[in-house]
Amino acid sequence: MSALLVIEGLRKRYGERALFDIERFTLEAASAYVLTGVNGAGKSTLLRVLAGLEPAEARALHFDGRKLALAPYPDALRAAVAYVHQHPIMFSTSVAHNIGYGLLARGAAKGQVKVDVARAMAWAGVEHLHASAPASLSGGEKQRVALARAKVLRPRLLLLDEPTANLDGAAREQVIALIPTLIAAGSTVVMACHDPDLIGLPGVRRMKLRDGRMEYRA
Ligand SMILES: Nc1ncnc2c1ncn2[C@@H]1O[C@H](COP(=O)(O)OP(=O)(O)OP(=O)(O)O)[C@@H](O)[C@H]1O
Ligand SMILES: [Mg+2]
């Protein structure tokens, strides 16, 4: 196993309040993790820090063997990390445009974007929605579109904040079924969650934020 990301001395504070102080945060390449912890433990904040959406302090950071700084957030991480918000926000254009936008922004050729978007929509089971307005989607459809939008970027590190939290029944099961295929595609996946079915997925390692420290479990 090789380390994808190692951060030493990862600390986040809000004013006087120290939210977490993690001596060593490590993610292996092509591995899956669930991140648990009580409400307010700092799970979402940690994912946002890893995605460069929130500042934090770090003593040292290595990504893919390269020494980098956490601030300013490095381009190498921006290109490698995808983050899926618990309540995905979308442009009010079409589903297909939302999924392809990140690729176009990276300068991918239009023809290739079309192929990749079609493949990602088939993967997420949302082909029939390609021309739909995002505002008209159900919660489960929106979450699957958000996963497709992240997957199409082929991220080395995929951060999912409570991907099933607002779903139940078939919608929840459809999202859970997509997760192992994301892992199989070679991304390192970190899921903040309380969902026992995600926590119990085979091969998923567990880490827990408790009182500002990280506990690693088998
Ligand atoms: N911008 C902010 N300023 C001050 N405090 C904040 C800010 N953002 C988050 N917090 C606080 O940091 C703590 C951790 O929040 P966070 O959303 O990361 O928790 P969480 O583990 O994701 O919780 P949940 O299980 O409810 O999603 C909370 O107490 C929250 O109020
Ligand atoms: Mg949260």
Side-chain angles (χ1 to χ4, degrees):
M1 279 289 170
S2 63
L4 178 69
L5 179 67
V6 181
I7 309 179
E8 283 161 54
L10 179 58
R11 300 203 302 172
K12 175 67 187 175
R13 40 178 87 241
Y14 286 118
E16 290 295 289
R17 179 177 171 215
L19 183 57
F20 51 76
D21 185 348
I22 302 169
E23 188 41 42
R24 190 180 163 85
F25 180 78
T26 310
L27 298 174
E28 300 292 333
S31 300
Y33 300 83
V34 287
L35 170 61
T36 62
V38 297
N39 295 128
K43 303 179 297 295
S44 296
T45 304
L46 175 58
L47 295 189
R48 291 172 53 79
V49 164
L50 296 175
L53 301 170
E54 180 100 47
E57 298 162 56
R59 200 168 56 238
L61 183 153
H62 285 86
F63 180 73
D64 220 4
R66 285 171 65 195
K67 187 170 165 46
L68 299 169
L70 183 58
Y73 192 74
D75 289 345
L77 283 179
R78 204 170 294 289
V81 178
Y83 166 79
V84 179
H85 193 278
Q86 187 174 354
H87 302 283
I89 311 279
M90 295 186 198
F91 299 117
S92 52
T93 49
S94 67
V95 164
H97 174 262
N98 272 273
I99 297 174
Y101 176 81
L103 287 173
L104 289 171
R106 286 185 181 178
K110 275 196 180 144
Q112 188 60 48
V113 171
K114 218 171 159 190
V115 171
D116 288 355
V117 166
R119 199 174 288 151
M121 285 197 295
W123 169 78
V126 296
E127 302 106 308
H128 58 297
L129 300 169
H130 80 276
S132 301
S136 68
L137 304 183
S138 71
E141 288 167 347
K142 215 176 261 183
Q143 190 60 239
R144 282 185 285 141
V145 169
L147 289 174
R149 181 169 66 173
K151 182 180 192 284
V152 86
L153 298 173
R154 301 177 203 271
R156 302 286 308 280
L157 175 56
L158 181 55
L159 307 168
L160 309 179
D161 197 354
E162 311 228 19
T164 60
N166 309 300
L167 310 178
D168 49 31
R172 182 172 151 274
E173 276 158 30
Q174 283 164 346
V175 168
I176 292 174
L178 294 176
I179 306 291
T181 66
L182 286 172
I183 300 167
S187 293
T188 291
V189 181
V190 181
M191 302 173 273
C193 69
H194 301 277
D195 187 328
D197 289 334
L198 286 177
I199 296 170
L201 283 174
V204 173
R205 303 177 207 205
R206 291 187 287 162
M207 48 191 176
K208 181 170 189 172
L209 264 177
R210 189 204 293 264
D211 299 330
R213 307 286 158 140
M214 190 66 86
E215 296 176 354
Y216 297 92
R217 310 183 168 190

